[in-house]
Amino acid sequence: MVFGLPGNPVSAITCLRRYVIPGLQLQRGDEQTVYAELTKDYAFNKALTYFCPVSVKVSEEGKLLATPIKTNGSGDYGALAYSDGILELDKEMDIFQAGTAHKLFLWGKN
C-alpha cells in the first residue's frame, strides 16, 4: 500500500489523519468511526469536503462536542496547536447547524 500526501504541512497532517491512519487501521481490522456534534453553527460555502479543525470536549451525557477553531486557511499550522482533531464536513452542504453530528478524526488515537 502506498499513500501520497500533499506538500502543505496542514494538508499533509490532515490527509494522514483522515486517509492514511484509517487505511492502516482497516488493514489491521480495527477501523473505528467516531462522531462529534458541532457546538455552534458553521458555514463553508465551497463545493469541497472541509476538514474543520476543532477542539473537543465531552458533555455530561457522554457526547463528544466539537467547537470549530478559527484559522487563517490551510497554511495556518500554528492554529492546529489549539485543536484536538478535525471534523469532516460534507461538500453537499454550506451551513452546518449546531447539534449535528459529523465524523471526527482526533490527532491522538480514536
Side-chain angles (χ1 to χ4, degrees):
M1 186 179 295
V2 175
F3 294 94
L5 296 174
N8 177 304
V10 174
S11 297
I13 194 169
T14 297
C15 289
L16 173 74
R17 187 60 195 98
R18 172 55 185 97
Y19 301 109
V20 177
I21 292 172
L24 296 173
Q25 289 172 330
L26 182 62
Q27 290 293 314
R28 288 192 333 221
D30 67 350
E31 183 182 29
Q32 299 176 13
T33 303
V34 176
Y35 290 86
E37 291 183 7
L38 277 169
T39 59
K40 60 183 179 179
D41 292 347
Y42 191 81
F44 183 75
N45 59 2
K46 296 182 182 176
L48 302 168
T49 300
Y50 183 60
F51 299 105
C52 181
V54 293
S55 64
V56 178
K57 293 185 180 182
V58 179
S59 73
E60 291 180 12
E61 297 83 26
K63 293 181 184 179
L64 292 175
L65 304 176
T67 302
I69 299 290
K70 185 174 171 97
T71 69
N72 291 317
S74 65
D76 191 358
Y77 196 63
L80 295 185
Y82 301 102
S83 70
D84 297 307
I86 51 173
L87 209 58
E88 183 174 331
L89 302 178
D90 187 9
K91 69 179 179 179
E92 305 300 324
M93 299 174 66
D94 292 339
I95 305 293
F96 304 90
Q97 295 182 338
T100 58
H102 303 275
K103 283 186 184 178
L104 173 67
F105 299 90
L106 295 168
W107 299 131
K109 188 173 181 176
N110 264 13

